[in-house]
Amino acid sequence: MSAFDDLYAANAEFARDFADSGLTGRAARGLGVVTCMDSRIDPLGLLGLKPGDAKILRNAGARVTDDVLRTLVLAVYVLGVERVLVMPHTDCGMTKVTDADVHKLTADRGVDTRSLDFHTVPDQHEALRHDLTRIRTSPFLPQGMPVAGAIYDVHSGRLSPIDF
Ligand code: ZN
């Protein structure tokens, strides 16, 4: 028994009926989505997408970190992404703690995380404005590429576009 047996068993079922879609690794609908790791978010389902349509980049808080920018550069120039939606969500755990809180929580368990920046979100609109600006002003991404922000409501399933 391993901690992953349930997953391997489920995959065996999945693979039994699997048919190769013939898709390549390019984003068929030219879309990149930056969203949170929150387990309530189904990015494909809520946006009417299917596998193959979009590049989905997920992390804690849907933050545009250096690694998200690196990935977007690859997504745009190598994998067909032509537009980017940044999609944080309501009830996000990252809005409920500060970096100091996290350092304290880990310190209580004997772990020093002070060298990590968790990019916690004291103000979600401000964080989204910052992150959209980071993409729009990146010297590595095409000027004028459509970049939008929208907050997903995990309770209603609705997406609210936020204009900045
Ligand atoms: Zn979240």
Side-chain angles (χ1 to χ4, degrees), residues 3-146:
F4 306 95
D5 285 348
D6 55 334
L7 307 178
Y8 301 142
N11 175 255
E13 286 292 314
F14 175 80
R16 194 186 338 266
D17 299 322
F18 188 83
D20 182 2
S21 64
L23 290 163
T24 70
R26 291 180 69 83
R29 292 182 55 184
L31 176 65
V33 178
V34 179
T35 194
C36 185
M37 67 176 177
D38 192 287
S39 43
R40 295 167 290 187
I41 301 172
D42 170 10
L44 298 184
L46 79 94
L47 295 170
L49 303 171
K50 57 185 191 308
D53 283 345
K55 298 296 172 195
I56 311 293
L57 289 61
R58 300 186 74 154
N59 63 25
R63 301 309 313 274
V64 177
T65 60
D66 287 349
D67 194 61
V68 166
L69 280 178
R70 174 191 73 91
T71 305
L72 285 175
V73 169
L74 292 164
V76 166
Y77 295 102
V78 183
L79 298 168
V81 165
E82 299 168 335
R83 51 182 174 150
V84 177
L85 176 67
V86 181
M87 189 177 73
H89 65 99
T90 61
D91 197 37
C92 184
M94 290 284 280
T95 65
K96 299 175 181 179
V97 292
T98 64
D99 276 38
D101 294 334
V102 182
H103 295 318
K104 170 78 169 62
L105 284 169
T106 61
D108 289 347
R109 297 186 46 184
V111 176
D112 185 347
T113 56
R114 289 174 298 172
S115 64
L116 295 179
D117 185 346
F118 290 108
H119 304 287
T120 51
V121 179
D123 178 330
Q124 193 167 51
H125 280 71
E126 177 56 26
L128 181 54
R129 188 196 59 74
H130 173 275
D131 287 347
L132 292 173
T133 301
R134 231 185 146 198
I135 297 173
R136 288 173 176 149
T137 63
S138 169
F140 304 115
L141 291 167
Q143 289 213 332
M145 177 176 69

